[in-house]
Amino acid sequence: MRLALLSFLLLLFTHVQAQQTTVKGQISDAQTGVPLSNINVGFDNSTVKTLSDAQGRYTISSKEAVKMLNFSAVGRRKQSLPILPGKIQEIHVRMESLEQDLSEVSVTAEKRPRYKNKDNPAVEFMRKVIENRDQNNVSFHKNIAFEEYEKLCMSLSLTSEKARKSSLLKKYQFLKQNADTVKQPGKTQIPVFMQEKLCLVKQSGLSKPERAVLGEKQSRIDQYLDEDGLNEFLDKVYQHIDIYDHDIGLGNQRFLSPIAELAPQFYKFFILDTLKDVTPWQIKMMVSPKNKQDVLFAGYLYISLDGHYAVQRAELSINNQINLNWVKDLQIALNYTSDSMDKYHLSKSVVGMDLGIFKKGTSIFGERTITVNKFEFGDLALQRTAGQDTLVGRKPVKQTDDFWQSSRPELLSSNEKAAYANIDSLKNSSSFKRTMAVASTVLTGYINEGPVEIGSLSSFYSFSPVEGSRFKIGGQTTDIFSKKFFLDGHVAYGTKDRRWKYDLGVTESLTSRSIYEFPVRSIAVRHSFETQIPGQDLNFLEDDNFLLSFKRGVNDKWMYNRKWSLEYLHETMQHISLRLSYKNQVMQAAGKLHFQRDNDDNLFPGQVSNQEVNLSTSEFVAELRWAPHEKFYQGKRFRRPINNGYPVFTLSGAVGIRGLLGGDYNYQNVTLNVAKRFYLSQLGFSDVIVEGGAIFGKVPFPLLSIHRANQTYAYQLSSYNLMNFMEFMSDRYVSLNIQHSFNGFFLNKIPLIKKLQWREVASIKILDGNVTEKNRQGNHREHYRFPSDDKGRRVAFPIERSPYIEGSVGLSNIFKVLRVDVVKRFTHLNNPGVTPMGIRAKLNVDF
């Protein structure tokens, strides 16, 4: 009997032992819900162990008779959870940070030791890392080449409560079926965007890497969104991150690297552990900002102990007090691999960002993964070719599914596959199409009617002293009408001057691509009859925008302009563009602006001649522009550069010919403009514009350089905000415009104020120039009298004796969208109608 019982127990034990126990799940932070990587996971009383991955996921199996599963990591409270032997089960864990306990204990301590760099072994160790940074960096090689696979998946992220009540998920059931509830514990992710790209990257010396696109795949909704421009915007948000760089970009924000030369001045360093289960051994170093509001990282660095002091792995995040908009959470995982010369290159990076741009409980979660393969260095590296089917910078041929199956270094997750499926399903949904059409109208100001768009809504109504109430309707064709030809135009009517205005243009693409697609090669013909304030040429805004109707001071000097133009545009892959055009204009004074010649001796100052003259010009214009490595947001109606820190050079010239198709004057003008953004790490960045110009020939004042003034209450970056319209003119000038954003460097350190997350801005604008003798009033009988007011006082002047100078200081990031400046004018304060100081505001959305 005993033998039988013993045999039964032995068989039972053997059966249980033979059954495999499998546990999988995700580990996240108990406070933030952020996935935790490199958490030790192991069965109790067993040698079977594993680590959680970059997304916090883990899977562990054993055939032993295990009953408990342990979770542990340095800085985390250890957890032991019961499991079911011989079963496949799923356990999600939320781990608490021991830092919370330390902070609670420190409240009762007599005094927390003050952190200091001096005699700090962690800081001394980090100085060794900084000292060896360049030697360890792959940029030490002069020539490198590698394949780079990149994928970006973006999802709508809802809390579990929001997901249960979501009308979106109820309306589109397929979104609910493809939702992911594991990646972010406590949240439901609905994938809505997916992009994959494979590039051959080559770099010589310190030059910018050259990328040849081997393949690209993307979920698109082209009929509603300018997605080519959206891609460039996402590239700026999800920039390439390398801890070996001095600064790491996120939008217009620059994070100081924890291993930059200045890092010990802004970061705290703590040695947490020595990892002896890897080769070579590693130091686990914790980094955190000295000031929590500064734009700096927090996290862990894993540094080799083989004498190279190389960062082999990094896990970075941000704290919730940082002066950074919209970003609720940021998680970065970087892995480095050494080559045969012990130089480290980034082998894989994962950047996860939770953007809280919607109401509470709803956000957008994006994850960008970059994997580097087939890394080479040396002279042979630059001889690698991308194949005849691809061109550097251009769109590649559409690749097959087999190509992507063989090119992906890792399989797509179910969430990433769902992004493609969701977009395909949404594009076939009539209700989604209607919703997107309304959203597109709100965002762009145009009503989409398939082949044509009607708008813009912002300029349907405006007003001015010359036209009174102005009503305007316009439209333009879309790609549905034609990719080869683009038509646009409008008609407008003023109730005060009772005159119709109009504008009509036709543009033909001289390539197989659309006229929106870089590089552009096109020819355009345009004819218009419109009103204009002399000297005003607003970039990206229509002159009759409703908000620009509100102006300070006197605004009664306008003109009508009847214009014909023919323009040829040629852009190259090197971002060099050539623009050649011919313009014929007939200008007629309007309002209280008058074109009266100096030879009318019977008039005294302020008296108006009964005989108004029109000014006709016939000119050829050429513009050469070079913007190395430029990226831009390409909309359907404009192109807006994305400032990436590289300079932009623009050289333009014009020749006016008297007697050609009615031209009244011979003249030549030339202008050179250089613009560049300078990043100053923790001190923010400066946008600097230097411009100079000259006009040759005898011309009346409307053909002089009339410097751009601003009489609205909106702050304009490229205008002089306290200068009156037509106040200053010149035929020789030079200008300097500096806009600096401190990104909260000073305010972040002021108690209470720092909680508002305001940011400091400052500017200085200097304009110097003159009008040569031949173009001054009274020196030529064919010239016009300079404008004057009702009292006979001149209101237009040459810049002489001293330059025009104005400056401003202000606050941006007010309510995250508003910038307010106090502007002061320092010179030429005795001119009529001068406002020496004013307050201006501007919408300014940034990270």
XYZ file of all heavy atoms in Angstrom, residues 306-349:
358
model
N 35.867 49.284 -19.028
C 37.058 48.713 -19.655
C 38.112 49.767 -19.959
O 39.050 49.515 -20.711
C 36.671 48.001 -20.952
C 35.947 48.931 -21.929
O 35.691 50.102 -21.569
O 35.639 48.481 -23.043
N 37.951 50.967 -19.384
C 38.901 52.040 -19.623
C 38.516 52.975 -20.743
O 39.126 54.030 -20.916
N 37.449 52.618 -21.524
C 37.001 53.494 -22.599
C 35.961 54.518 -22.117
O 35.747 55.527 -22.776
C 36.400 52.672 -23.742
C 37.416 51.908 -24.534
N 37.705 50.582 -24.289
C 38.226 52.282 -25.557
C 38.636 50.172 -25.133
N 38.974 51.190 -25.915
N 35.300 54.222 -21.022
C 34.266 55.103 -20.457
C 33.194 55.423 -21.511
O 32.774 56.570 -21.683
C 34.876 56.399 -19.927
C 35.862 56.195 -18.799
C 37.232 56.090 -19.059
C 35.433 56.077 -17.486
C 38.150 55.882 -18.030
C 36.340 55.872 -16.442
C 37.688 55.770 -16.727
O 38.592 55.568 -15.709
N 32.761 54.397 -22.221
C 31.794 54.586 -23.311
C 30.383 54.301 -22.823
O 30.145 53.343 -22.083
C 32.136 53.667 -24.479
N 29.442 55.136 -23.226
C 28.028 54.886 -22.941
C 27.556 53.800 -23.899
O 27.569 53.971 -25.116
C 27.190 56.160 -23.117
C 25.710 55.852 -22.912
C 27.641 57.232 -22.144
N 27.138 52.667 -23.350
C 26.694 51.548 -24.163
C 25.174 51.458 -24.244
O 24.643 50.838 -25.165
C 27.258 50.237 -23.602
C 28.786 50.179 -23.663
C 29.325 48.834 -23.222
O 28.898 48.275 -22.219
N 30.282 48.306 -23.967
N 24.520 52.065 -23.285
C 23.061 52.037 -23.269
C 22.567 53.234 -22.476
O 23.235 53.694 -21.538
C 22.569 50.734 -22.641
C 21.074 50.495 -22.715
C 20.780 48.996 -22.626
N 21.346 48.365 -21.451
C 20.675 48.177 -20.310
N 19.425 48.607 -20.197
N 21.244 47.570 -19.291
N 21.410 53.746 -22.846
C 20.826 54.880 -22.119
C 19.312 54.724 -22.081
O 18.703 54.302 -23.061
C 21.198 56.198 -22.785
N 18.738 55.030 -20.924
C 17.287 55.076 -20.747
C 16.953 56.455 -20.189
O 17.325 56.781 -19.067
C 16.825 53.983 -19.784
C 17.144 52.582 -20.258
C 16.965 51.547 -19.166
O 16.610 51.951 -18.035
O 17.192 50.360 -19.431
N 16.286 57.264 -21.008
C 16.044 58.654 -20.657
C 14.557 58.949 -20.637
O 13.773 58.365 -21.391
C 16.741 59.586 -21.656
C 18.253 59.380 -21.838
C 18.780 60.253 -22.958
C 18.993 59.664 -20.538
N 14.191 59.878 -19.781
C 12.806 60.325 -19.700
C 12.814 61.778 -19.239
O 13.864 62.416 -19.163
C 12.003 59.449 -18.728
O 12.564 59.516 -17.423
N 11.647 62.322 -18.938
C 11.535 63.691 -18.432
C 10.680 63.667 -17.176
O 9.849 62.766 -16.986
C 10.920 64.648 -19.472
C 9.546 64.137 -19.930
C 11.855 64.831 -20.658
C 8.813 65.073 -20.856
N 10.869 64.659 -16.317
C 10.003 64.753 -15.138
C 8.782 65.610 -15.461
O 8.784 66.387 -16.423
C 10.780 65.319 -13.938
C 11.147 66.778 -14.114
O 10.306 67.658 -13.953
N 12.413 67.050 -14.441
N 7.752 65.476 -14.654
C 6.485 66.136 -14.970
C 6.478 67.629 -14.674
O 5.478 68.301 -14.904
C 5.326 65.462 -14.228
C 5.554 65.426 -12.725
O 6.449 66.080 -12.199
N 4.730 64.651 -12.019
N 7.586 68.187 -14.172
C 7.644 69.623 -13.904
C 8.409 70.386 -14.978
O 8.553 71.598 -14.900
C 8.317 69.874 -12.545
C 7.560 69.270 -11.370
C 8.225 69.582 -10.046
O 8.621 70.702 -9.777
N 8.359 68.565 -9.194
N 8.905 69.697 -15.993
C 9.724 70.320 -17.016
C 8.905 71.347 -17.809
O 7.699 71.187 -18.008
C 10.295 69.235 -17.957
C 11.358 69.812 -18.888
C 9.197 68.576 -18.756
C 12.057 68.754 -19.715
N 9.571 72.420 -18.234
C 8.920 73.469 -19.028
C 8.856 73.017 -20.483
O 9.602 73.472 -21.340
C 9.704 74.777 -18.903
C 8.931 75.962 -19.481
O 7.973 75.792 -20.220
N 9.356 77.157 -19.121
N 7.943 72.102 -20.740
C 7.783 71.517 -22.063
C 6.298 71.329 -22.314
O 5.605 70.707 -21.509
C 8.523 70.167 -22.129
C 8.697 69.527 -23.488
C 9.626 70.361 -24.373
C 9.263 68.117 -23.334
N 5.816 71.869 -23.422
C 4.385 71.833 -23.704
C 3.954 70.519 -24.338
O 4.704 69.916 -25.111
C 4.006 72.973 -24.654
C 4.140 74.327 -23.998
O 4.044 74.443 -22.781
N 4.370 75.352 -24.788
N 2.717 70.139 -24.027
C 1.995 69.070 -24.706
C 2.555 67.682 -24.412
O 1.826 66.702 -24.553
C 1.978 69.278 -26.229
C 1.786 70.686 -26.660
C 2.681 71.466 -27.342
C 0.639 71.521 -26.441
N 2.168 72.712 -27.561
C 0.917 72.786 -27.020
C -0.583 71.328 -25.802
C 0.020 73.828 -26.990
C -1.493 72.378 -25.772
C -1.184 73.603 -26.352
N 3.828 67.560 -24.048
C 4.434 66.249 -23.861
C 4.144 65.756 -22.443
O 4.744 66.223 -21.478
C 5.953 66.284 -24.115
C 6.553 64.894 -23.934
C 6.242 66.808 -25.516
N 3.241 64.805 -22.317
C 2.905 64.245 -21.017
C 3.973 63.267 -20.555
O 4.223 63.138 -19.360
C 1.546 63.543 -21.092
C 0.385 64.466 -21.403
C -0.903 63.691 -21.602
C -1.311 62.934 -20.355
N -2.613 62.243 -20.546
N 4.565 62.588 -21.513
C 5.603 61.628 -21.141
C 6.521 61.409 -22.336
O 6.096 61.466 -23.492
C 4.982 60.301 -20.704
C 6.044 59.335 -20.202
O 6.873 59.754 -19.376
O 6.050 58.186 -20.652
N 7.781 61.176 -22.049
C 8.782 60.906 -23.064
C 9.695 59.806 -22.549
O 10.264 59.927 -21.462
C 9.599 62.172 -23.373
C 10.776 62.020 -24.340
C 10.262 61.689 -25.744
C 11.609 63.297 -24.375
N 9.809 58.723 -23.297
C 10.673 57.601 -22.926
C 11.603 57.303 -24.092
O 11.150 57.117 -25.220
C 9.840 56.364 -22.579
C 8.958 56.528 -21.362
C 9.756 56.649 -20.077
O 10.808 56.031 -19.916
N 9.265 57.466 -19.151
N 12.899 57.279 -23.807
C 13.914 57.065 -24.839
C 14.804 55.902 -24.417
O 15.301 55.877 -23.285
C 14.770 58.327 -25.046
C 13.885 59.512 -25.455
C 15.855 58.093 -26.089
C 14.615 60.839 -25.432
N 14.989 54.961 -25.303
C 15.908 53.848 -25.071
C 16.924 53.823 -26.202
O 16.554 53.744 -27.379
C 15.154 52.527 -25.008
N 18.210 53.914 -25.865
C 19.291 53.951 -26.847
C 20.239 52.793 -26.591
O 20.641 52.562 -25.444
C 20.064 55.273 -26.767
C 19.250 56.572 -26.863
C 20.148 57.775 -26.629
C 18.568 56.670 -28.218
N 20.599 52.089 -27.640
C 21.561 50.995 -27.539
C 22.690 51.227 -28.535
O 22.444 51.603 -29.690
C 20.892 49.651 -27.825
C 19.965 49.225 -26.706
O 20.399 48.729 -25.679
N 18.664 49.437 -26.903
N 23.919 51.001 -28.063
C 25.094 51.259 -28.891
C 25.889 49.981 -29.092
O 25.931 49.110 -28.218
C 25.981 52.330 -28.247
C 25.337 53.696 -28.242
C 24.465 54.076 -27.221
C 25.567 54.593 -29.271
C 23.854 55.312 -27.232
C 24.956 55.836 -29.293
C 24.104 56.192 -28.267
O 23.495 57.423 -28.286
N 26.538 49.889 -30.255
C 27.379 48.752 -30.606
C 28.753 49.267 -31.019
O 28.857 50.282 -31.707
C 26.759 47.946 -31.759
O 25.469 47.482 -31.365
C 27.623 46.765 -32.141
N 29.790 48.575 -30.610
C 31.147 48.987 -30.981
C 31.606 48.246 -32.226
O 31.195 47.111 -32.478
C 32.121 48.730 -29.829
O 32.183 47.346 -29.543
N 32.463 48.914 -33.015
C 33.018 48.278 -34.203
C 34.399 47.716 -33.867
O 34.791 47.650 -32.702
C 33.080 49.265 -35.374
C 33.896 50.509 -35.044
O 34.829 50.422 -34.221
O 33.603 51.591 -35.605
N 35.140 47.326 -34.894
C 36.435 46.682 -34.680
C 37.477 47.627 -34.090
O 38.515 47.184 -33.601
C 36.961 46.114 -36.002
O 37.096 47.143 -36.978
N 37.207 48.934 -34.137
C 38.136 49.910 -33.570
C 37.609 50.485 -32.259
O 38.060 51.540 -31.809
C 38.397 51.044 -34.575
C 39.153 50.598 -35.821
S 39.534 51.986 -36.927
C 40.639 52.960 -35.892
N 36.639 49.803 -31.666
C 36.062 50.219 -30.383
C 35.437 51.613 -30.447
O 35.477 52.369 -29.472
C 37.116 50.177 -29.272
C 37.533 48.758 -28.930
O 36.673 47.858 -29.044
O 38.714 48.546 -28.582
N 34.843 51.954 -31.588
C 34.066 53.185 -31.720
C 32.589 52.812 -31.709
O 32.179 51.842 -32.353
C 34.416 53.930 -33.015
C 35.917 54.165 -33.208
C 36.529 54.926 -32.053
C 38.037 55.045 -32.209
N 38.681 55.608 -30.989
N 31.808 53.577 -30.996
C 30.416 53.199 -30.755
C 29.463 53.933 -31.695
O 29.558 55.156 -31.867
C 30.035 53.482 -29.299
C 30.615 52.471 -28.340
C 31.937 52.566 -27.912
C 29.849 51.404 -27.879
C 32.482 51.632 -27.048
C 30.383 50.460 -27.017
C 31.696 50.586 -26.594
O 32.226 49.652 -25.741
N 28.556 53.171 -32.295
C 27.502 53.772 -33.105
C 26.146 53.297 -32.587
O 26.025 52.220 -31.994
C 27.658 53.416 -34.584
C 27.450 51.958 -34.889
N 28.475 51.040 -34.883
C 26.333 51.248 -35.214
C 28.006 49.842 -35.186
N 26.713 49.949 -35.388
N 25.149 54.113 -32.804
C 23.799 53.798 -32.357
C 23.275 52.615 -33.157
O 23.203 52.665 -34.385
C 22.893 55.018 -32.542
C 21.470 54.917 -32.006
C 21.483 54.821 -30.490
C 20.651 56.123 -32.443
N 22.916 51.552 -32.489
C 22.386 50.376 -33.183
C 20.859 50.347 -33.164
O 20.238 49.838 -34.096
C 22.942 49.104 -32.561
O 22.626 49.030 -31.175
N 20.269 50.895 -32.104
C 18.808 50.930 -32.040
C 18.367 52.033 -31.090
O 18.965 52.220 -30.031
C 18.241 49.593 -31.574
C 16.714 49.529 -31.593
C 16.208 48.146 -31.224
C 14.679 48.083 -31.268
N 14.158 46.744 -30.922
N 17.351 52.751 -31.499
C 16.754 53.757 -30.615
C 15.239 53.630 -30.674
O 14.668 53.387 -31.743
C 17.181 55.173 -31.023
O 16.576 55.562 -32.235
